[in-house]
Amino acid sequence: MTELIHCKISLKKITPKNSKSGYSNSELKKLFGSTKINPDLVFSRAEFFQQTKTKVQGMSISGVQQKLSLKENERHELEATTEDGEYILKPSPEAYPFAAENEHTAMLIHQTVGIETALCGLVDFKGGEKDGEKGGERAYITKRFDKLPDGSKQHQEDLLQCFDLPSKDKYSKTYEEAGLLLNKVTSGKQAVTLEFVKRIIMAYAIGNDDMHLKNISVQKMSSNKGVHYDKLTPSYDNLLVEALSSTQKSKIGFLALGLLHDKEDGDEEFTDSYNYFGYYTGVDFIELASRLGLKEKPVRKFISKLATDVKKLTDLVTHSFMPEEMKIAAQKIIESRINALQKTDYTDS
């Protein structure tokens, strides 16, 4: 009997006949453009941190996670580069083991519910006694979506830049304020606003309480010479944050930003439903959508479909490369949050 394994890109079952080093051939082609690529990294985790000292120019480094720009060389290997990078590599930080596997799972969850998501997968660091490391440690890799076929960059900005705020203020607005700004910079495109609301719903559904203003970006198509943006960029930097570690939980709360904006005092405003239950329900996100000028029907439809999709999402978690404890935590969060979202009507009677 042929042993089935799960692809390190799609998490779908594959057979050795249709795969290469733990990857489906079709998924390799989708992410890397061909099956010639060697997805196994030719450097170790220790060498990665050495390379980031010299190869990280122009790359953003957050407080806890270093990144490296990669491109495919003539030997079809992924090598570090300071220019013409095609991919971004992120290992799990020391403080957050298995963050790479966690982010990969969160991204596939978004893809499964129909949200446009950056192409991504897992790759293995080179292991060996030379660096005192065990082989097989994985890193998260994602394909850049800001590059045009001619090598030039596609114009995009995150919402922090759209607000013209410094990096320290990435948590300073509510999602309602962010959505109103999004309406403004996209000239009121309702499809973009609806996509934005769906992404906020998903942040809540998976326990991602770090979806701040820098993690939401808008993009112009190359043919657009006007001042308004066309769309949101593919979704990126999604994590099952609350499942990352029972000892490293975020102190922010359910979401990175307040949901609704109180015009009188400038703080977050809560619905009667939130005040009653003590957590967000579908009522809160329908109210957000309404304040952003959206109709209820598509938002209710998306929330309702999550209840249908919940098994697909928890199955993805099951087949992921996260450790068992993290899987169990993630599944509990997804099931409880999607259940909470199904409460789409509230009266105090």
Side-chain angles (χ1 to χ4, degrees), residues 174 176-177 260-270 291:
T174 61
E176 181 182 345
E177 290 175 290
L260 305 174
H261 183 64
D262 189 325
K263 293 179 181 178
E264 291 185 7
D265 61 19
D267 293 331
E268 180 176 8
E269 183 178 348
F270 295 98
R291 294 188 183 194

Side-chain angles (χ1 to χ4, degrees), residues 248-314:
Q248 294 282 358
K249 283 190 176 179
S250 164
K251 305 300 182 189
I252 297 172
F254 290 125
L255 290 167
L257 312 180
L259 195 64
L260 305 174
H261 183 64
D262 189 325
K263 293 179 181 178
E264 291 185 7
D265 61 19
D267 293 331
E268 180 176 8
E269 183 178 348
F270 295 98
T271 64
D272 290 339
S273 174
Y274 184 96
N275 288 329
Y276 179 79
F277 290 110
Y279 53 82
Y280 295 120
T281 65
V283 172
D284 299 281
F285 297 96
I286 290 169
E287 176 64 19
L288 172 65
S290 174
R291 294 188 183 194
L292 298 180
L294 294 175
K295 294 179 179 178
E296 282 190 21
K297 186 175 180 180
V299 181
R300 285 180 177 272
K301 183 179 179 181
F302 181 74
I303 289 172
S304 178
K305 191 173 184 302
L306 288 180
T308 305
D309 288 344
V310 67
K311 188 173 187 307
K312 287 183 187 176
L313 307 186
T314 55

Side-chain angles (χ1 to χ4, degrees), residues 7 9 18-21 23-40 71-78 86-87 119 123 141 143:
C7 174
I9 296 173
N18 300 313
S19 66
K20 175 181 179 180
S21 302
Y23 298 87
S24 156
N25 288 332
S26 61
E27 293 293 338
L28 272 179
K29 191 169 184 179
K30 189 187 300 182
L31 179 57
F32 296 108
S34 79
T35 57
K36 293 180 180 179
I37 190 81
N38 173 15
D40 294 329
K71 66 178 179 181
E72 182 181 351
N73 62 24
E74 66 279 359
R75 298 183 299 278
H76 303 295
E77 298 167 339
L78 293 166
E86 302 168 85
Y87 306 94
L119 295 175
V123 290
I141 189 168
K143 187 170 185 176

Side-chain angles (χ1 to χ4, degrees), residues 23-157:
Y23 298 87
S24 156
N25 288 332
S26 61
E27 293 293 338
L28 272 179
K29 191 169 184 179
K30 189 187 300 182
L31 179 57
F32 296 108
S34 79
T35 57
K36 293 180 180 179
I37 190 81
N38 173 15
D40 294 329
L41 298 174
V42 294
F43 50 88
S44 68
R45 179 183 169 92
E47 289 168 336
F48 163 87
F49 286 103
Q50 287 296 318
Q51 292 195 64
T52 56
K53 295 176 183 178
T54 58
K55 303 278 189 180
V56 82
Q57 298 170 13
M59 291 294 295
S60 169
I61 304 179
S62 68
V64 296
Q65 190 166 34
Q66 287 184 277
K67 306 174 185 179
L68 190 64
S69 184
L70 302 179
K71 66 178 179 181
E72 182 181 351
N73 62 24
E74 66 279 359
R75 298 183 299 278
H76 303 295
E77 298 167 339
L78 293 166
E79 68 175 13
T81 181
T82 56
E83 56 185 20
D84 301 324
E86 302 168 85
Y87 306 94
I88 297 170
L89 183 74
K90 298 195 288 185
S92 299
E94 290 289 338
Y96 295 92
F98 300 99
E101 291 86 345
N102 181 298
E103 183 169 359
H104 176 234
T105 309
M107 293 289 282
L108 291 187
I109 286 172
H110 279 67
Q111 192 180 98
T112 300
V113 300
I115 289 174
E116 184 185 8
T117 306
L119 295 175
C120 65
L122 294 171
V123 290
D124 290 359
F125 279 116
K126 182 182 75 175
E129 295 180 3
K130 173 185 174 183
D131 301 299
E133 298 183 42
K134 295 179 181 179
E137 182 175 352
R138 300 179 186 91
Y140 173 82
I141 189 168
T142 184
K143 187 170 185 176
R144 293 182 60 166
F145 49 72
D146 62 343
K147 297 194 71 175
L148 295 168
D150 63 2
S152 62
K153 281 192 175 182
Q154 196 152 337
H155 185 62
Q156 62 188 48
E157 284 188 306

